Amino acid sequence: MDKILKTQNLFKKFDGISALNNFSCFVEKNEILGLIGPNGAGKTTFFNVVTGFLPSDSGDVYFHGKQISNKSPYRIVADGISRTFQDLRLIRQLNVLDNVLLSFQNQAGEKLSGVFFQKNKIIQTELQNRKKAESLLEYTDLSELANEPAGNLSYGQQKLLSIVCCLAADAKLLLLDEPVAGINPSMREKILSVIEDQKKEGKSIVIIEHDMDFIMEICDRVIFMDTGEKISEGTPGEVRNDPKVIEAYLE
Amino acid sequence: MEYILHILILICIYTILSVSLNLLVGYTGILSIAHAAFYGVGAYVAALMALRLETPFLLNLGLAIVCAAIIGAIVGVPSLRLKDDYFVIATFAFQIIIFSILNNLVDFTGGPLGLPGIPQPEIFGFVISTHLEFLILAGLLAIFTYWFSSRIVKSPFGRVLKAVREDEVFSQAVGKNVASFKVQVFMVGAGLAAIAGVIYATYITYIDPTSFTVMESIFIISIVIIGGAGNLKGSVVGAVVLVALPELLRFVGLPNAIAANVRQILYGALLVIFMLWRPQGFIGEFAFNTNTEDKSKKPDG
C-alpha cells in the first residue's frame, strides 16, 4: 500500500512539556486512521505540525514522499492536506455558500491582476466552483442553508460545513479534529457517512476523537498516544485491548 | 457658488481617502493610522515632479500612485506580520516618520514652509483651473477609486479579504496566503490614497507637512467608522457628513478661533457616539468594536 503521509521522529515541546516525543507514524492511501489518547496527549499538536501551523522542534513530515516539514499552511493545503479545528472555525459572517467557495484552490479571481484583466475567466471558474459547491451542499443536506451566515448554523451543521470546506479544497488527506464531539445522533450518522464516502473515493482520513464507539466503527487502524508518544498501534480491537492503553486510561 | 464647489471638491478628496482606507480597515480588518502619510506621499511626489521636472500631470499622477504603493509594500511587508495592536503602533510610527521627513528635509520638500506654486494640472493641453473643472477632475477620480475598490471587494479576492478579517487561521487552513493578501491590499490602499494627495496638491497649489499629520489619519478613520466599515457607500456618506457638517458651524456665527475647536470636539463626540450606539456606522456591515463575540457556541447535542 502507498504511504501517503509519513512522519519521522517528530519532537515538539511547550515550555518543557513534551507534546510530541519522537513521534513517527504513517497514513496509507485510502485509509481511515484514528488518533486517540487522553487530553494533552499531543494529538492536536500533531495536526498543527503536519499542517504547518506549528513548526516542529525536529523531525520530518513527508507527503507523497516529498518533504513538507515547516512549509507554510497555505502551501500544504495546496499540496492536498486539509484540516478541521476542534474549536470550530468558519467565516461566521459569510454565508454558507461563500465559505465553500472560499475553500477552492487556485482561483483566478483571487489574484489582483485577475480581478481586473481576466473577467471572463473569473466568471467561468466562479460558475464552475458554484456548481461544485452546490452539489457538495446538496450531498450534505446543507443546500437550504446556502445563503445563511455560517454563524447561524447549529454546532453540528457547522462541523459538517467545515468538512465540506475540506472537500472543496480537494484534499487528498483530511485531518479531522473531533468531527463528532458534542453532536446529536442524526448529525453524527451524517458525518460518519460523509467520511466513509470519502474513503470510498480514495481519500485518506485521520480522525482525532474521544468518542470510542465512533472510532471503533469507522477506523481501519488506530494509534493511541499519551504525552506525545505512540503507546499502541493496531486495529481498533487490538488497541482497545492493549494493556498499556488500559493502564494509561486508568492512571 | 465657489464655496460650495470647494466643499464638493473636498468631499471628493475625502471620499477617495475613506474608500481606500475602508479596503484596509473595513474589509481586511487591518487598522492603519498611516493613511495620511500615503496621502502626503502622493501630494509631494506629484508636486515635486511638477515643480522640479515639469512633467505632465498624468505622469505625475501615475508615478505618485506607484511610489505610494511601493512605500506601502516596504512598510507593509514587515509590519503586517504584527498582531492587531502592534500593527497600529507600527503604522503610527511610519506616519510620524513620513511627517518628520517632509518637515525636516528642507532642501527637498521645503520643510515647514512647504511647496508653493504647484502648477495646475494640464491634461492633453487642457489646463484645469476653475473650481468647476477641478470638481469634474476630482469627481472622476473619486468615481474611478470607487469603481476600482468595489471591483475588488466584489471579487473572489474581496471574499478572501473578508475571511482574513474574520479569521486568519481559518483563511490559512483553506489555503490562503494571508500575508500576501494583506500586503497586496495595503499597497492598493496606499496607491489610491496617493490619488487624493495629487488632487489636493494641484488644487490648493500649496502643500506643507501639517496637512498630512496623524490627526488627518484619524479624521479619515472617523469617516470610515462613522460612514460604516465594510461598506463602500458608507465611506461616501461618511465623507459627505464629516466634511459638510462642520461647515454648517460657519453659519452659526461662532468666532473662527472657537469654531475650529468646536469642530475637533464634534469629530470626537461623533466618534464616541457611534462607537457606543452604532458601531457598524451609518450603513456598515462590520461592527468595529464588537468583534469579541463569543466564538464557542454551545453544542446542540
Side-chain angles (χ1 to χ4, degrees):
Chain A
M1 278 261 242
D2 267 351
K3 291 187 174 45
I4 181 165
L5 182 83
K6 217 168 97 181
T7 71
Q8 272 175 345
N9 312 102
L10 287 177
F11 284 88
K12 178 75 194 174
K13 274 190 178 172
F14 297 109
D15 297 328
I17 296 166
S18 275
L20 288 175
N21 192 2
N22 201 10
F23 188 78
S24 304
C25 73
F26 61 88
V27 183
E28 283 175 354
K29 196 172 175 341
N30 211 7
E31 175 189 47
I32 301 181
L33 171 70
L35 203 54
I36 57 170
N39 288 323
K43 307 182 295 292
T44 299
T45 304
F46 172 71
F47 274 17
N48 285 336
V49 166
V50 169
T51 52
F53 280 90
L54 272 179
S56 61
D57 296 340
S58 66
D60 300 300
V61 183
Y62 298 92
F63 183 60
H64 282 306
K66 268 185 243 148
Q67 170 120 3
I68 57 162
S69 325
N70 303 326
K71 264 190 176 182
S72 307
Y74 74 93
R75 287 189 197 278
I76 291 175
V77 180
D79 286 347
I81 304 181
S82 276
R83 68 172 297 184
T84 65
F85 293 87
Q86 197 177 331
D87 53 333
L88 265 179
R89 283 181 186 276
L90 285 167
I91 307 301
R92 299 161 58 87
Q93 294 202 342
L94 291 184
N95 68 31
V96 169
L97 184 64
D98 274 341
N99 271 279
V100 183
L101 287 174
L102 182 72
S103 307
F104 288 97
Q105 302 301 302
N106 271 329
Q107 299 186 40
E110 288 183 356
K111 293 197 183 73
L112 262 188
S113 56
V115 172
F116 291 98
F117 302 116
Q118 293 180 293
K119 204 175 169 190
N120 292 330
K121 194 178 170 195
I122 290 177
I123 294 172
Q124 251 176 17
T125 30
E126 195 69 359
L127 277 176
Q128 280 172 4
N129 287 349
R130 189 170 282 260
K131 258 189 202 155
K132 281 189 220 161
E134 277 163 358
S135 73
L136 279 172
L137 290 176
E138 190 135 336
Y139 158 62
T140 48
D141 295 334
L142 291 170
S143 302
E144 283 172 16
L145 300 163
N147 295 316
E148 282 287 317
N152 289 0
L153 267 57
S154 77
Y155 187 74
Q157 288 165 334
Q158 290 192 33
K159 287 221 153 174
L160 183 57
L161 177 57
S162 56
I163 297 175
V164 171
C165 288
C166 294
L167 303 184
D170 199 23
K172 308 284 175 291
L173 172 66
L174 287 86
L175 307 180
L176 309 179
D177 201 342
E178 302 198 1
V180 296
I183 278 180
N184 67 46
S186 66
M187 184 56 82
R188 184 179 178 277
E189 288 310 305
K190 183 81 229 171
I191 289 178
L192 190 97
S193 78
V194 168
I195 295 174
E196 281 177 334
D197 285 348
Q198 292 316 305
K199 186 192 165 185
K200 278 179 207 144
E201 287 184 16
K203 295 186 173 165
S204 308
I205 299 128
V206 183
I207 300 173
I208 295 177
E209 188 52 72
H210 289 291
D211 180 339
M212 286 308 281
D213 295 334
F214 187 80
I215 292 283
M216 294 295 149
E217 206 172 333
I218 200 172
C219 292
D220 301 306
R221 195 160 54 92
V222 173
I223 290 177
F224 176 87
M225 59 189 297
D226 193 13
T227 59
E229 286 176 75
K230 195 197 288 180
I231 304 287
S232 176
E233 183 175 5
T235 64
E238 285 167 10
V239 171
R240 176 180 245 175
N241 297 318
D242 187 334
K244 282 182 284 183
V245 174
I246 297 167
E247 190 189 328
Y249 263 128
L250 287 178
E251 246 170 33
Chain B
M1 191 58 198
E2 294 234 315
Y3 171 67
I4 291 175
L5 290 174
H6 172 71
I7 301 300
L8 289 175
I9 292 167
L10 287 183
I11 288 175
C12 287
I13 290 174
Y14 282 101
T15 297
I16 294 173
L17 290 169
S18 58
V19 164
S20 56
L21 184 64
N22 205 345
L23 286 178
L24 310 183
V25 175
Y27 285 90
T28 323
I30 46 183
L31 182 58
S32 161
I33 44 178
H35 218 54
F38 294 115
Y39 177 37
V41 166
Y44 269 88
V45 168
L48 287 168
M49 295 273 291
L51 284 169
R52 304 274 158 84
L53 306 173
E54 294 173 4
T55 43
F57 174 75
L58 287 178
L59 178 68
N60 300 347
L61 177 65
L63 208 80
I65 296 172
V66 171
C67 278
I70 289 172
I71 295 175
I74 294 169
V75 177
V77 167
S79 63
L80 284 164
R81 292 166 176 272
L82 302 170
K83 276 253 168 253
D84 316 332
D85 314 11
Y86 298 98
F87 174 75
V88 175
I89 293 168
T91 58
F92 180 64
F94 170 67
Q95 170 73 51
I96 303 287
I97 291 169
I98 288 289
F99 179 81
S100 304
I101 292 173
L102 297 181
N103 210 27
N104 293 303
L105 212 59
V106 178
D107 291 340
F108 195 57
T109 65
L113 296 177
L115 293 171
I118 300 162
Q120 289 174 319
E122 188 184 323
I123 299 171
F124 303 122
F126 182 77
V127 180
I128 292 167
S129 53
T130 68
H131 277 67
L132 186 63
E133 286 160 1
F134 259 105
L135 178 60
I136 293 168
L137 175 70
L140 285 176
L141 288 171
I143 290 167
F144 167 77
T145 304
Y146 189 93
W147 169 82
F148 193 88
S149 305
S150 93
R151 188 80 181 262
I152 287 177
V153 301
K154 282 181 189 152
S155 70
F157 187 91
R159 188 165 60 212
V160 178
L161 296 184
K162 284 185 201 167
V164 169
R165 175 186 80 195
E166 298 300 328
D167 190 338
E168 285 189 24
V169 173
F170 180 77
S171 307
Q172 284 181 309
V174 290
K176 309 304 168 202
N177 185 352
V178 170
S180 157
F181 277 96
K182 281 181 167 181
V183 170
Q184 286 181 62
V185 77
F186 197 68
M187 289 174 71
V188 169
L192 292 177
I195 296 178
V198 178
I199 303 172
Y200 180 81
T202 50
Y203 169 57
I204 306 289
T205 71
Y206 165 77
I207 50 173
D208 73 66
T210 58
S211 301
F212 312 108
T213 60
V214 69
M215 282 311 295
E216 190 70 9
S217 284
I218 290 171
F219 179 61
I220 305 166
I221 292 173
S222 308
I223 296 178
V224 173
I225 291 176
I226 290 172
N231 185 318
L232 295 179
K233 288 192 197 85
S235 294
V236 181
V237 174
V240 172
V241 171
L242 280 197
V243 173
L245 198 65
E247 294 300 327
L248 297 177
L249 287 178
R250 287 178 199 274
F251 304 106
V252 184
L254 287 173
N256 245 343
I258 297 178
N261 290 327
V262 169
R263 211 183 239 215
Q264 296 295 333
I265 295 170
L266 194 71
Y267 293 148
L270 268 178
L271 202 55
V272 171
I273 290 167
F274 269 85
M275 285 301 232
L276 281 177
W277 286 293
R278 206 174 157 76
Q280 72 274 39
F282 276 121
I283 47 179
E285 54 184 46
F286 171 46
F288 203 78
N289 67 347
T290 54
N291 209 15
T292 49
E293 66 172 310
D294 191 12
K295 274 210 156 183
S296 56
K297 227 183 163 188
K298 289 279 173 289
D300 62 353

